Amino acid sequence: MSDYSKPLPIIEKWNAPYWQAAKRHEFVAQRCRACGYLHLPPGPACTNCLSDDQEWTPLSGKGTIYSFGVYYQQWHPGFKDDMPYNVALIELTEGPQIISQVVGCANEALACGLAVEVTFEDVTPEVTLPKFR
Ligand code: ZN
């Protein structure tokens, strides 16, 4: 039993490969076989053409901070020891954007355009979260 108290992803059949890859510290996205569109977060259909013919492809894990916010208000009790904390929108080199967190960097040093790369945080025996450093 984990004492991790923050919200966790709901792992379902269509996003399980994403979370299984994260557990192996691999970063992947879905590519649509119908139109070639690469997209995150994982979903049951392509967000460009709605085809459900999807495959998984590895990503470089590299990107830049597209936007970010620093939270001074505690909206969830699990974050009480992290205040203030950041939430960042990362634009991956391959194109998709992902909402995550930048770690290993003071909130005051965050800037749009800053280069980041994926890192993995094993938060429970079942769940590993991709974050960026
Ligand atoms: Zn598509």
Side-chain angles (χ1 to χ4, degrees):
M1 194 68 176
S2 170
D3 59 0
Y4 187 78
S5 60
K6 297 172 187 166
L8 289 167
I10 296 169
I11 300 176
E12 300 176 303
K13 69 175 182 180
W14 47 265
N15 68 9
Y18 176 83
W19 294 110
Q20 289 162 355
K23 190 107 197 81
R24 298 188 304 268
H25 292 194
E26 296 170 13
F27 195 45
V28 299
Q30 284 173 304
R31 183 184 304 279
C32 177
R33 287 192 184 105
C35 76
Y37 191 67
L38 188 66
H39 59 100
L40 276 175
C46 173
T47 54
N48 186 51
C49 77
L50 301 181
S51 169
D52 63 358
D53 189 9
Q54 307 292 307
E55 64 184 357
W56 295 94
T57 186
L59 299 172
S60 68
K62 297 186 185 315
T64 57
I65 298 175
Y66 183 84
S67 186
F68 68 95
V70 176
Y71 285 67
Y72 292 88
Q73 171 73 42
Q74 181 191 321
W75 297 105
H76 186 282
F79 290 89
K80 75 174 167 31
D81 295 332
D82 294 354
M83 304 301 298
Y85 66 93
N86 71 76
V87 174
L89 180 61
I90 307 300
E91 185 167 75
L92 301 168
T93 301
E94 294 86 352
Q97 294 182 333
I98 181 173
I99 296 171
S100 184
Q101 184 175 49
V102 177
V103 297
C105 179
N107 289 329
E108 297 74 21
L110 296 175
C112 294
L114 196 66
V116 291
E117 67 178 1
V118 75
T119 185
F120 295 93
E121 196 172 301
D122 300 311
V123 298
T124 71
E126 300 79 26
V127 176
T128 296
L129 300 176
K131 297 197 174 182
F132 290 82
R133 64 180 175 209

